[in-house]
């Protein structure tokens, strides 16, 4: 791995590729699950709750694969304080998902996704604050180039929208950057961005046992136990939010449950659940900064894959975005954040 300094181990490289592929798969699978009119024939809220529950169950079985039930209960009792802390990222991700719908109603899709790309830079700021670790100039430069690449990709959508008709051009102009002002809509957009960044970095902080080392001098709780905490809290937060919105009963009705038992929906839930486990491996083995690069690669790879699957043209903006993202990766590779390998195993097969 000498040529790829960003990966401390071969495991890190495998996890990076797996995470990126699963993210690309998710977008394509969700698109394929839509009806001809672009709507869903199943309850998306039910899918969200069942997927989070599936992640928790998968984490439990992965832990029990090498341990017993008594050991699992003992670990939960020992690390219950960490479990309480996982309410924070679970709540932030839940807020993020709900604000997504609100903000998309306030902004046109192009403006929304352009504003969302600033989470790359915000992630760097949050990472410095939480880990008390300054990023180098090269690392900041790579993040700025990455942000530019993501913005260029989204500007391509705006250009296509404008070329549709003069009426669309007028609407797009009025709702694009000229329409961004300091109001409640922009405030909610900032909140959504912060939720995404803080949740990712804080999740990494917990997965690497920083809280336990700081408070108790102990190592991190087993990875799958932490995943159980994370997704258990996630199910709880989603249930509470649905109850507050008055949508909980509808989400668990028999018709809603039946609607998700289609092959295309089950595949979406399985892919998302697998990605949830891989994400925890990603944040434990690598870091939240590199995760922003994986997400950027997801954008450009999705454009390439949809070209071959659906014939979606790859325009100049996409080509420029690909070049910028690759340039950002090359720059970051010259001076990456160095992590100690996190997934080394003891002789008995348990994680260090």
């Amino acid at each position: 791995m000498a040529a790829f300094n960003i990966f401390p181990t071969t495991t890190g490289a495998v996890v990076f590729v797996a995470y990126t592929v699963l993210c690309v798969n998710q977008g394509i699978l969700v698109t394929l699950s839509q009806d001809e009119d672009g709507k869903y024939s199943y309850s998306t809220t039910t899918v969200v709750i069942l997927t989070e529950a599936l992640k928790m169950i998968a984490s439990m079985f992965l832990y029990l694969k090498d341990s017993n039930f008594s050991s699992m209960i003992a670990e939960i009792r020992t690390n219950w304080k960490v479990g309480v802390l996982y309410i924070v990222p679970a709540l932030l991700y839940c807020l993020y998902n709900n604000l997504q719908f609100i903000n998309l109603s306030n902004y046109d899709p192009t403006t929304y996704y352009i504003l969302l790309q600033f989470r790359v830079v915000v992630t760097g700021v949050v990472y410095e604050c939480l880990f008390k670790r300054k990023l180098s100039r090269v690392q900041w430069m790579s993040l700025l180039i990455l942000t530019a690449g993501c913005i260029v990709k989204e500007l391509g959508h705006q250009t296509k929208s404008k070329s549709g008709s003069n009426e669309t051009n007028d609407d797009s102009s009025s709702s694009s950057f000229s329409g961004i002002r300091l109001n409640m809509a922009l405030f909610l957009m900032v909140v959504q961005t912060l939720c995404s960044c803080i949740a990712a970095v804080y999740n990494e902080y917990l997965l690497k046992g920083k809280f336990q080392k700081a408070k108790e001098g102990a190592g991190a709780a087993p990875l799958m136990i932490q995943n159980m905490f994370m997704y258990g809290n996630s199910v709880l937060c989603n249930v509470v939010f649905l109850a507050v919105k008055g949508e909980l009963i509808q989400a668990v009705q028999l018709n809603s449950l039946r609607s998700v038992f289609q092959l295309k929906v089950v595949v979406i839930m399985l892919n998302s659940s697998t990605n949830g486990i891989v994400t925890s491996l990603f944040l434990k083995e690598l870091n939240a900064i590199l995760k922003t690069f994986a997400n950027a690669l997801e954008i450009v790879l999705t454009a390439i894959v949809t070209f071959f699957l659906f014939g979606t043209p790859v325009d100049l903006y996409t080509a420029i975005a690909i070049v910028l993202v690759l340039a950002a990766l090359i720059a970051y590779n010259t001076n990456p954040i160095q992590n100690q390998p996190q997934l080394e195993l003891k002789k008995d097969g348990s994680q260090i």
Side-chain angles (χ1 to χ4, degrees):
M1 286 293 167
F4 297 98
N5 300 319
I6 54 179
F7 304 126
T9 63
T10 302
T11 302
V14 173
V15 169
F16 183 92
V17 173
Y19 173 80
T20 307
V21 170
L22 287 168
C23 284
V24 173
N25 282 350
Q26 190 69 10
I28 293 173
L29 289 171
V30 170
T31 301
L32 289 174
S33 73
Q34 295 175 346
D35 296 333
E36 292 182 1
D37 56 357
K39 296 182 179 180
Y40 301 103
S41 61
Y42 54 91
S43 171
T44 55
T45 54
T46 304
V47 168
V48 169
I49 293 179
L50 290 179
T51 300
E52 295 304 299
L54 190 58
K55 290 176 185 178
M56 183 180 67
I57 294 170
S59 299
M60 182 179 68
F61 276 104
L62 286 171
Y63 179 84
L64 293 174
K65 182 174 67 71
D66 299 316
S67 301
N68 54 48
F69 188 77
S70 299
S71 172
M72 183 182 74
I73 298 300
E75 288 288 355
I76 292 174
R77 287 178 176 175
T78 302
N79 298 289
W80 68 270
K81 291 181 181 179
V82 179
V84 173
L85 291 176
Y86 268 102
I87 293 176
V88 176
L91 180 60
L92 289 173
Y93 279 128
C94 190
L95 280 171
Y96 175 89
N97 292 332
N98 282 272
L99 285 172
Q100 197 172 24
F101 296 100
I102 297 173
N103 288 331
L104 277 170
S105 67
N106 291 330
Y107 291 104
D108 64 276
T110 300
T111 304
Y112 169 79
Y113 284 112
I114 288 175
L115 289 172
L116 199 60
Q117 301 317 316
F118 288 101
R119 63 185 172 181
V120 175
V121 175
V122 176
T123 298
V125 175
V126 175
Y127 189 91
E128 284 191 338
C129 294
L130 195 55
F131 282 90
K132 297 180 174 59
R133 187 175 183 179
K134 290 290 183 182
L135 300 181
S136 67
R137 290 183 179 179
V138 172
Q139 290 164 353
W140 273 118
M141 181 184 71
S142 65
L143 288 177
L144 291 173
I145 295 173
L146 188 68
T147 303
C150 294
I151 289 176
V152 167
K153 178 67 180 72
E154 297 305 330
L155 283 173
H157 293 303
Q158 186 182 44
T159 301
K160 289 178 183 177
S161 176
K162 286 184 176 182
S163 63
S165 66
N166 291 331
E167 183 180 350
T168 304
N169 183 37
D170 293 338
D171 293 339
S172 181
S173 297
S174 62
S175 60
S176 189
F177 286 113
S178 60
I180 300 175
R181 56 190 183 278
L182 292 175
N183 54 19
M184 182 56 69
L186 185 56
F187 171 75
L188 291 177
M189 194 71 224
V190 171
V191 171
Q192 183 185 353
T193 303
L194 287 174
C195 284
S196 172
C197 300
I198 296 174
V201 178
Y202 189 68
N203 198 11
E204 178 188 345
Y205 185 83
L206 294 176
L207 284 168
K208 290 179 175 174
K210 299 297 183 181
F211 168 79
Q212 288 158 294
K213 290 175 183 176
K215 299 294 182 183
E216 305 167 3
L223 178 62
M224 292 306 156
I225 294 295
Q226 294 196 64
N227 278 342
M228 289 169 60
F229 288 147
M230 174 65 192
Y231 298 122
N233 282 314
S234 183
V235 171
L236 177 63
C237 289
N238 277 285
V239 167
V240 170
F241 261 84
L242 286 175
V244 170
K245 292 165 62 179
E247 299 176 4
L248 180 59
I249 296 178
Q250 181 182 354
V252 296
Q253 283 181 340
L254 189 58
N255 289 338
S256 297
L257 293 172
R258 283 176 177 172
S259 70
V260 303
F261 289 105
Q262 308 175 52
L263 179 60
K264 60 183 180 181
V265 184
V266 172
V267 171
I268 289 173
M269 291 192 293
L270 290 175
N271 187 84
S272 180
S273 300
T274 305
N275 196 25
I277 303 298
V278 171
T279 299
S280 65
L281 293 171
F282 193 115
L283 292 174
K284 190 173 180 70
E285 175 75 2
L286 301 169
N287 54 71
I289 299 296
L290 196 54
K291 186 169 175 284
T292 63
F293 284 88
N295 291 334
L297 277 176
E298 173 198 346
I299 295 174
V300 296
L301 286 176
T302 299
I304 295 172
V305 173
T306 53
F307 169 75
F308 289 104
L309 287 180
F310 309 118
T312 306
V314 177
D315 56 19
L316 179 61
Y317 289 93
T318 301
I320 294 174
I322 292 172
V323 171
L324 287 173
V325 169
L326 292 177
L329 270 172
I330 293 170
Y332 182 78
N333 185 62
T334 63
N335 185 23
I337 294 174
Q338 297 295 337
N339 295 317
Q340 294 296 325
Q342 298 288 330
L343 300 178
E344 297 176 6
L345 301 178
K346 295 179 181 178
K347 291 182 179 179
D348 63 358
S350 60
Q351 292 178 3
I352 295 176

